[in-house]
Amino acid sequence: MRAVMLNRIGWCTMLLVMLATAAEAQRRGGTTRRRTATQRNAQQDPNAPVVNPATGNAVATPPPAAPPTTAAAAPVDTPRKSLRIDGVVERNLARERVPIVYDYIREDDRFWEKRVWQIIDVREKINLPFQYNVEDEAGTNQLFINILLNAIKNKEVEAFSPIDDRFTTIMPYDEIQKKVSGEEKQVRSIDPVTGEEKLVTTRDDFDPSTIRQYKIKEVWVFDKEASALKVRILGIAPLMARMNDDGSYRASIPLFWVYYPDLRPILAKYDVYNQNNDASTISWEDLFEMRFFGSYIVKENNTYNREIKDYIKDGVMRLLEGQAIKDRIFNKEQDLWQY
């Protein structure tokens, strides 16, 4: 009899333990479901306050950004086209112009030739179009250095390293970007919502005002068949100004070389600013071919392959020497005639 009573007490104890365990599991499941539902409602409500774990204060999250469906919502670095006619008449933005075809010169007709290097200083009054930093109706920036950089970036023309001026080494756009904007840097940034600290990759912006000069390489040749002196530009190199710590000018270094015959079809599509008449414009290719720029000679092909500054120290005398070289070139054509 005693054994039967102990057996019944054991079964009752086991039943009570099982009931208590089931009740605890049910309580925990309800709490978890209520917590999950609360989090789901907080995620669905965009205006629900979010607690900043760094400060413990409630922070309202910004509303989600709308997708860019219009031109006004486009990124900043994309061209912003005019949505209305910006003028009296609508201009033809389809640049279908082609460069002027050069006259063919046979090898036997190349009677005389002189190779020179010149500097175009954009601070001179005649060269002010090189500083025209304005976007046209199509949203394209008309600054000359930006035209060169965009052409290289879009692989429309190749850039060459300034280690020489014979176009021997191709220079990728990433290397040019490092020279004009510096190396990429890792900076610490704190998220204003979550307070999380993370590293962000950034790079300095390019300052076009550092491009003050352009170096051009050209050949003057006398065509015996046409009995005329002709000029052919071979390359263009933008020069970046380097400054000392005190802000004084130190030197100008070439960024890259661009082979001018490859660049001519691109320059023919861009207009040059005309400060006297906005309705009358020419292309950049016309400006170079018609010599509508001011320049001075810094080097001619010589035995020692040196520039004028290497044997003349005075700045005024350098300009006079460059002008003397230019006069000898133009006088050569007159000396070949007989009267």
Side-chain angles (χ1 to χ4, degrees):
M1 185 68 180
R2 185 178 180 181
V4 175
M5 292 296 295
L6 292 176
N7 190 12
R8 289 179 179 180
I9 292 174
W11 281 106
C12 291
T13 303
M14 185 179 298
L15 181 60
L16 291 175
V17 172
M18 293 177 61
L19 291 175
T21 304
E24 181 66 20
Q26 185 176 6
R27 185 181 63 81
R28 291 181 179 180
T31 304
T32 304
R33 286 193 297 269
R34 287 194 301 271
R35 189 177 302 169
T36 305
T38 303
Q39 294 176 355
R40 187 183 301 112
N41 294 333
Q43 293 177 358
Q44 292 177 357
D45 187 6
N47 297 323
V50 179
V51 177
N52 191 336
T55 60
N57 300 326
V59 180
T61 58
T69 57
T70 60
V76 179
D77 56 349
T78 58
R80 297 175 298 177
K81 298 182 180 180
S82 299
L83 302 180
R84 299 293 186 271
I85 298 177
D86 189 17
V88 179
V89 297
E90 184 178 1
R91 294 186 178 183
N92 182 19
L93 300 180
R95 312 298 187 184
E96 301 295 340
R97 292 173 299 195
V98 295
I100 303 173
V101 180
Y102 282 151
D103 295 334
Y104 177 72
I105 301 178
R106 296 190 312 126
E107 175 67 22
D108 294 340
D109 294 332
R110 188 169 58 94
F111 180 76
W112 178 85
E113 181 179 284
K114 174 62 70 173
R115 185 166 304 192
V116 296
W117 287 258
Q118 301 200 56
I119 293 294
I120 300 176
D121 197 322
V122 301
R123 293 167 293 183
E124 296 183 15
K125 187 175 181 180
I126 192 175
N127 298 326
L128 290 180
F130 286 86
Q131 301 186 31
Y132 188 63
N133 190 8
V134 177
E135 295 181 354
D136 59 7
E137 291 87 342
T140 305
N141 191 280
Q142 295 179 304
L143 188 64
F144 185 72
I145 182 61
N146 288 338
I147 295 176
L148 295 181
L149 293 176
N150 290 334
I152 298 172
K153 181 180 179 180
N154 299 330
K155 299 186 182 301
E156 297 176 333
V157 67
E158 289 182 340
F160 294 89
S161 175
I163 57 175
D164 56 43
D165 51 17
R166 295 184 294 108
F167 319 104
T168 58
T169 306
I170 296 178
M171 189 174 184
Y173 179 75
D174 294 339
E175 187 175 348
I176 298 175
Q177 194 174 14
K178 291 179 182 179
K179 297 181 68 174
V180 299
S181 301
E183 297 283 348
E184 292 185 349
K185 297 178 293 185
Q186 298 285 340
V187 297
R188 296 182 180 275
S189 177
I190 299 178
D191 195 309
V193 176
T194 63
E196 180 184 359
E197 183 178 351
K198 57 184 178 180
L199 294 177
V200 179
T201 303
T202 183
R203 190 194 297 268
D204 296 335
D205 294 333
F206 168 58
D207 185 10
S209 62
T210 58
I211 306 299
R212 302 179 180 178
Q213 296 175 336
Y214 293 89
K215 192 173 187 178
I216 60 174
K217 176 184 178 180
E218 58 187 16
V219 175
W220 291 84
V221 57
F222 185 83
D223 186 1
K224 184 171 61 175
E225 182 181 6
S227 297
L229 186 66
K230 300 178 181 179
V231 59
R232 296 288 188 268
I233 300 177
L234 298 182
I236 300 177
L239 303 180
M240 174 174 283
R242 294 297 187 186
M243 314 303 291
N244 295 319
D245 295 336
D246 57 355
S248 60
Y249 173 79
R250 181 173 59 186
S252 294
I253 60 172
L255 292 179
F256 54 85
W257 279 95
V258 178
Y259 189 56
Y260 178 73
D262 295 341
L263 189 64
R264 292 181 65 216
I266 301 173
L267 296 181
K269 300 178 181 180
Y270 292 92
D271 292 333
V272 178
Y273 170 69
N274 186 352
Q275 59 183 348
N276 297 319
N277 186 1
D278 291 341
S280 176
T281 57
I282 61 175
S283 66
W284 278 103
E285 196 263 342
D286 295 333
L287 180 139
F288 284 104
E289 295 301 328
M290 293 187 289
R291 314 291 294 182
F292 287 163
F293 59 87
S295 61
Y296 55 92
I297 295 179
V298 295
K299 178 185 176 182
E300 68 171 336
N301 202 17
N302 56 82
T303 306
Y304 302 102
N305 192 27
R306 58 182 182 177
E307 296 188 0
I308 296 177
K309 65 180 181 180
D310 296 332
Y311 57 92
I312 297 180
K313 302 303 179 182
D314 185 70
V316 177
M317 297 304 297
R318 294 179 194 169
L319 294 176
L320 293 177
E321 177 65 17
Q323 185 61 39
I325 296 173
K326 188 177 296 186
D327 293 339
R328 289 197 297 268
I329 292 176
F330 286 105
N331 291 336
K332 188 66 176 181
E333 180 182 15
Q334 302 298 324
D335 296 340
L336 293 175
W337 286 90
Q338 295 181 0
Y339 299 96

